[in-house]
Amino acid sequence: MPFVVLQTSRLLWVRTAALLCTCVTFSVAAHGGSLGNSGDLFMFCWCFSFAGTLLVLVVELFGLQMRAPVSWTNFPITFATYASLLCLTASVGFPLTFLKGYQWQGEVRDHRIAATVFSCLATVAYFVEVSLTRARPGEVAGYMATTPGLLKVCETFVACVIFVFISEPVSYDRYPALKWCLAVYCICFVLSAAVVILCVGECTGCLPFTFSRFLSAYSFLAVAMYLTATILWPVFQFDSRYGNNARRPDYCRNVGTCPWDKLVGVSVLTALNLLIYLADLAYSARLVFVSG
């Protein structure tokens, strides 16, 4: 009992810290950062994280968990994981977009530096929250608090970043192989997102088959599909036989992030998601063949 009270107290402080850091971040950035439309994505990351954390704190403080329309054993850690990844993305992308290569001086630069610092602090706070609420060995917890559940969140998040990279400019319409890669990203994202929604909404019992075996079969399918995308995407984007550049073009030196950089980013993220799905498959197979 003392450990539970201590953990609850720590969670309260960590969530409060995340709430304050995200609030300061988007307030400072919006007030004096001169972001324009280029900062909309980063503002969304910080505002979304702030709003969700505020909701979790209100429900926890007023004891409304039983009235929530979602599973409260799965929702808080799911949101905290997404918030940590969003703030991490903003903490990396914001300075690269608004500080690197800019000669701003005075208040604008100071506001951008302050927003970057508080975004990093918010990222740390969310990662600490995930660490405090994730399931320990032998502990009974919701699926999203386990390693496979956290991996599902990472899978969907990486897929979303891939969608951002390949949509502006459109980079998947030149060859059928690239369209297959897009299909891989979409199919696997939809299935992973469906698993997250089923767990958060406590609807896994409505499935006409065993949830654990579905996870194992789906993970195997995702690994096979992502393996093909990991091979095909760089071949059809960088091989000179298809009229592509294997080296970074000269014009990219004058811009922060050029289309070629995004193609490289998609290749890296595809390989990263393949590794995540491999780890997910290992955990899912262990769940079926060891536990079952």
Side-chain angles (χ1 to χ4, degrees):
M1 182 64 69
F3 174 76
V4 175
V5 175
L6 179 61
Q7 185 183 40
T8 303
S9 177
R10 288 177 178 177
L11 275 176
L12 177 61
W13 284 108
V14 168
R15 286 168 177 162
T16 303
L19 184 75
L20 294 176
C21 288
T22 50
C23 180
V24 172
T25 303
F26 71 73
S27 298
V28 170
H31 174 69
S34 299
L35 306 185
N37 295 332
S38 301
D40 290 347
L41 176 62
F42 305 120
M43 291 296 293
F44 167 78
C45 294
W46 297 323
C47 292
F48 176 82
S49 301
F50 170 82
T53 304
L54 180 62
L55 174 64
V56 171
L57 279 174
V58 169
V59 172
E60 292 278 355
L61 291 175
F62 289 93
L64 303 176
Q65 296 92 328
M66 299 302 296
R67 298 185 179 182
V70 295
S71 167
W72 207 252
T73 59
N74 288 309
F75 177 79
I77 189 169
T78 303
F79 171 79
T81 307
Y82 276 120
S84 63
L85 295 173
L86 285 170
C87 288
L88 176 62
T89 301
S91 299
V92 175
F94 183 78
L96 291 177
T97 304
F98 292 100
L99 287 176
K100 183 180 179 181
Y102 279 80
Q103 302 299 323
W104 291 89
Q105 299 294 332
E107 291 188 1
V108 172
R109 186 171 183 271
D110 294 341
H111 279 78
R112 292 179 177 181
I113 292 175
T116 302
V117 171
F118 278 96
S119 180
C120 292
L121 293 176
T123 302
V124 173
Y126 282 118
F127 273 115
V128 172
E129 180 181 349
V130 173
S131 177
L132 289 175
T133 53
R134 68 183 298 270
R136 301 295 188 271
E139 181 182 357
V140 177
Y143 177 80
M144 296 307 300
T146 63
T147 300
L150 297 177
L151 289 175
K152 293 293 188 303
V153 174
C154 295
E155 292 161 5
T156 57
F157 184 83
V158 172
C160 287
V161 179
I162 291 176
F163 291 145
V164 173
F165 281 179
I166 65 177
S167 61
E168 184 58 40
V170 175
S171 55
Y172 53 82
D173 58 348
R174 292 190 298 163
Y175 302 103
L178 297 178
K179 294 180 180 179
W180 163 252
C181 293
L182 175 64
V184 170
Y185 303 142
C186 293
I187 293 171
C188 294
F189 169 78
V190 169
L191 291 176
S192 293
V195 171
V196 174
I197 293 173
L198 286 173
C199 292
V200 173
E202 287 191 323
C203 300
T204 56
C206 301
L207 297 175
F209 38 76
T210 306
F211 184 61
S212 59
R213 293 191 179 277
F214 163 72
L215 292 177
S216 183
Y218 149 63
S219 298
F220 179 80
L221 175 64
V223 167
M225 295 177 68
Y226 256 92
L227 180 60
T228 63
T230 303
I231 297 172
L232 293 176
W233 183 268
V235 168
F236 283 87
Q237 293 289 9
F238 302 109
D239 196 322
S240 58
R241 291 177 297 178
Y242 299 99
N244 301 310
N245 293 320
R247 296 184 178 180
R248 195 169 190 256
D250 294 334
Y251 72 87
C252 290
R253 299 175 182 175
N254 302 322
V255 295
T257 303
C258 67
W260 191 88
D261 296 330
K262 293 183 178 181
L263 298 179
V264 175
V266 173
S267 299
V268 173
L269 292 172
T270 301
L272 174 61
N273 234 6
L274 173 62
L275 295 177
I276 296 174
Y277 276 109
L278 278 171
D280 194 1
L281 175 61
Y283 278 102
S284 299
R286 180 182 176 185
L287 181 64
V288 172
F289 297 109
V290 176
S291 301

